[in-house]
Amino acid sequence: MAATWWIMISSGILVGIGASFTGLGGGFLMIPLLLFLGFSAQRAVGTSFLAILVISISALVAHNKLANVDYRAGLLLGIGGIIGAQVGARLVEHVSTAQFKKIFAGILVALAIYLFFKK
């Protein structure tokens, strides 16, 4: 049981770092839009998270009504995500918008390839 707890928190940290650095979540759609609109990478990521927060609350309510929420797992991932998000937010401050676009595009391409070839 303790090992599962640490795995969940560690996963949350990694997800939090990745999400906070790139804005992934609904951010994979919002970030390119905000960059296109002239936002800096840092402002695009921060703004995306505000939008995702609002969307996530709505989604949580809907999924709760459908009994599709594992609160224990979600809270453990969230605990790790809090830590990871703080790290990721600080990391993105050291990346130019041009570098960010390349990193973000690389992540999206890698994800697309993985999903395309996954059985």
Side-chain angles (χ1 to χ4, degrees):
M1 176 121 155
T4 302
W5 187 79
W6 281 109
I7 290 170
M8 297 295 281
I9 290 177
S10 297
S11 296
I13 290 170
L14 293 174
V15 168
I17 290 170
S20 186
F21 185 78
T22 65
L24 288 175
F28 77 96
L29 296 173
M30 282 185 256
I31 297 296
L33 173 65
L34 293 169
L35 291 172
F36 177 76
L37 293 173
F39 281 63
S40 68
Q42 295 78 7
R43 185 160 297 258
V45 171
T47 302
S48 174
F49 274 111
L50 177 57
I52 292 166
L53 172 66
V54 174
I55 293 165
S56 295
I57 290 169
S58 176
L60 176 61
V61 169
H63 279 283
N64 184 60
K65 288 180 182 178
L66 297 168
N68 289 336
V69 180
D70 181 331
Y71 283 96
R72 182 178 181 276
L75 290 172
L76 289 172
L77 287 167
I79 289 167
I82 289 169
I83 298 164
Q86 297 304 307
V87 173
R90 282 158 181 79
L91 286 175
V92 78
E93 285 296 313
H94 301 287
V95 175
S96 71
T97 298
Q99 290 172 313
F100 176 85
K101 287 178 181 179
K102 290 175 183 169
I103 293 167
F104 190 77
I107 291 168
L108 292 179
V109 168
L111 181 60
I113 290 169
Y114 169 77
L115 292 173
F116 184 80
F117 289 107
K118 185 179 179 203
K119 294 183 180 196

